[in-house]
Amino acid sequence: MSRKGMKSMIEIVYDKDELTEDNIFAGITLPKNIRQIGVPSGNRRIYIEDYVMTYLNQLANPNSTFARGAILVGETVKGESGEIVFVSGALAAQNLELNLEETTFDGETWSYIYQEVKNYFPDLEVVGWFLSRMGFSTTVNDMIVQLHMDNFAGMDKVLYIMDALEGEDAFYMMEGDGLRRQSGYYIYYARNEAMQNFMIATKEDAEPKQEDEVEQKDEAVLRNYRKIMEERAKNAKIERMNRRLYAVCSGLIVAVLALGIAVFSNYQMLEKMEYKLVENGIIALENSIDLTEKKTENENSTEKKDLIKGQNDADKKKAEIDVNKVRTAAANLPQYYTVQNGDTLSSISFKMYNSVGYVAELMEANELGEADEIHEGDKILIPSIQ
């Protein structure tokens, strides 16, 4: 596809005065000297000039390890039943290099593009764009489709994708609400002086630069890309760690609360049980857990302690009670019931006493008022009914 010399292609093969014999494209002048790629079909065709193909192949050099892009210029010609997009020029688009996620077509970018088109291709207009992505095949993703729809609106705008690593290329055009891959296209040969002059000018601009300077530029762009990727990975890692830490802290808080509730509940149960044992003379005061001493700040602690000591003095002889008596007394100690989902005091009364007539006793034993509610998981004291 490369040219051996400018003079060998002087022949004009694009005569606008000669009409095609194809009824679909009646009224459109087609080049004679063409090469067909694939099997073009439909009422829309794409013709791309050979010098443009040479330039795009240079951009998609296999030595390039990241994305390259170009703006395609030419003209769209409509016939009676169809239309043809002629791509007769291309300019490199620096904003399409490396990372498509960072690509923007802002006012400044378009201003530069239009100025370049005016300088090198004053008689042509933008007809689409070119994208080279090494090793990514020629399929389009949502990001590429969005870039096309946002910046190259129109049914007559084309997208040309090339993957030099796989040796694949493909044209796309809008159809319906998305990009559709074309089944083929044509390469035509013409006296394309504008493209020749552009290639010569850009080559002369590049010649003074040393090869290592070009490599350094590529490496700088690549380093910047890696820095962006590393920063994103670092932020994602920090976010994951924060989520895990939040989950662990939440679990610890719940566990501590549950443990505190359980300890407090068990402490109350132990205190009531010990008090009953001492009150009934089953155990001696000196062998019990002196909970009253832990409540010295309570106004009733002194009276309670004196009462227990008085009872202990009166019942010292009962301290040597036999094992059977202890077991019998322990069996008569108050029971506790764990509230289940849907329980009420009436249903608990029926479960424990086979009667719903002991709601008042349950409320009194648990110091519950008319407005108090019970919840799933609560411990309810079940008093002994004589």
Side-chain angles (χ1 to χ4, degrees):
M1 214 169 294
S2 62
R3 306 275 189 167
K4 293 184 179 179
M6 300 297 180
K7 294 183 179 180
S8 61
M9 298 304 299
I10 295 301
E11 178 186 4
I12 298 177
V13 294
Y14 182 17
D15 185 358
K16 292 188 177 182
D17 294 329
E18 183 177 349
L19 301 181
T20 176
E21 296 179 357
D22 193 333
N23 291 330
I24 298 177
F25 303 102
I28 302 178
T29 302
L30 298 178
K32 294 180 180 179
N33 194 355
I34 63 173
R35 183 155 63 95
Q36 179 176 314
I37 306 297
V39 184
S41 61
N43 61 349
R44 294 193 297 174
R45 304 288 173 85
I46 300 172
Y47 282 72
I48 183 169
E49 204 277 321
D50 181 55
Y51 276 110
V52 180
M53 288 295 295
T54 300
Y55 177 72
L56 296 180
N57 275 282
Q58 291 174 355
L59 284 183
N61 191 303
N63 293 328
S64 176
T65 57
F66 45 88
R68 298 288 189 187
I71 303 299
L72 304 179
V73 296
E75 60 180 332
T76 301
V77 182
K78 296 184 179 180
E80 294 181 1
S81 303
E83 65 179 17
I84 293 179
V85 178
F86 291 98
V87 181
S88 51
L91 331 94
Q94 301 299 327
N95 62 318
L96 287 171
E97 286 188 4
L98 188 62
N99 187 6
L100 291 182
E101 294 180 0
E102 306 296 330
T103 298
T104 57
F105 283 87
D106 53 19
E108 184 179 351
T109 302
W110 277 116
S111 177
Y112 174 78
I113 290 173
Y114 286 133
Q115 186 61 43
E116 289 291 282
V117 173
K118 182 179 179 180
N119 291 338
Y120 293 102
F121 307 100
D123 299 327
L124 303 178
E125 60 182 11
V126 175
V127 295
W129 61 305
F130 165 77
L131 180 62
S132 168
R133 301 181 77 201
M134 195 70 61
F136 283 85
S137 77
T138 56
T139 57
V140 296
N141 54 29
D142 294 340
M143 178 177 57
I144 294 175
V145 173
Q146 195 62 47
L147 272 174
H148 184 90
M149 296 177 66
D150 290 345
N151 301 283
F152 301 92
M155 302 299 291
D156 58 344
K157 295 298 187 290
V158 302
L159 166 61
Y160 182 36
I161 295 184
M162 184 180 296
D163 183 352
L165 187 64
E166 299 295 334
E168 298 178 354
D169 68 338
F171 270 99
Y172 288 84
M173 295 187 73
M174 288 296 298
E175 185 169 321
D177 57 353
L179 285 172
R180 180 179 178 182
R181 182 169 180 160
Q182 302 301 295
S183 57
Y185 62 93
Y186 299 95
I187 299 174
Y188 73 96
Y189 302 86
R191 184 180 177 180
N192 193 348
E193 293 183 358
M195 192 65 203
Q196 295 178 39
N197 293 335
F198 173 76
M199 293 173 66
I200 292 172
T202 53
K203 183 178 180 181
E204 289 176 352
D205 291 341
E207 282 180 353
K209 297 181 180 179
Q210 298 296 325
E211 183 177 356
D212 59 343
E213 293 179 352
V214 177
E215 292 177 355
Q216 288 175 5
K217 178 185 176 182
D218 289 350
E219 289 177 0
V221 177
L222 190 57
R223 282 196 303 270
N224 183 51
Y225 174 72
R226 287 174 178 169
K227 184 178 179 180
I228 294 173
M229 292 298 101
E230 289 173 359
E231 190 67 25
R232 290 181 181 175
K234 181 180 179 181
N235 292 337
K237 183 177 180 181
I238 293 174
E239 185 177 354
R240 288 195 301 269
M241 291 178 64
N242 288 339
R243 287 200 297 266
R244 291 176 184 172
L245 183 60
Y246 176 79
V248 171
C249 290
S250 299
L252 288 175
I253 292 172
V254 172
V256 170
L257 289 176
L259 181 61
I261 293 172
V263 169
F264 181 74
S265 177
N266 291 336
Y267 179 83
Q268 288 183 321
M269 291 172 60
L270 181 61
E271 182 183 19
K272 291 179 180 179
M273 182 181 294
E274 183 183 26
Y275 181 79
K276 291 293 182 181
L277 289 174
V278 174
E279 184 179 25
N280 291 287
I282 297 175
I283 62 173
L285 179 63
E286 53 267 29
N287 294 328
S288 66
I289 300 175
D290 192 358
L291 298 176
T292 58
E293 291 183 358
K294 298 179 181 178
K295 299 182 178 180
T296 56
E297 295 180 0
N298 190 299
E299 295 178 358
N300 299 324
S301 61
T302 303
E303 296 178 3
K304 184 177 179 181
K305 183 175 180 181
D306 293 341
L307 177 61
I308 294 175
K309 287 184 177 181
Q311 291 174 345
N312 181 59
D313 293 338
D315 299 322
K316 286 184 178 180
K317 293 182 180 180
K318 295 181 180 180
E320 297 179 357
I321 192 169
D322 57 49
V323 175
N324 290 331
K325 186 175 180 180
V326 173
R327 290 178 179 174
T328 301
N332 293 325
L333 290 177
Q335 302 180 51
Y336 285 87
Y337 173 79
T338 301
V339 177
Q340 306 297 319
N341 185 26
D343 277 345
T344 63
L345 289 177
S346 297
S347 65
I348 295 173
S349 175
F350 186 80
K351 287 181 182 179
M352 305 308 299
Y353 306 114
N354 292 323
S355 171
V356 296
Y358 295 97
V359 173
E361 285 79 356
L362 289 174
M363 294 177 63
E364 181 181 0
N366 291 277
E367 299 179 355
L368 296 173
E370 293 291 341
D372 293 335
E373 297 180 355
I374 60 173
H375 303 88
E376 182 180 357
D378 289 349
K379 300 287 186 179
I380 298 296
L381 175 63
I382 306 300
S384 297
I385 304 300
Q386 297 299 327

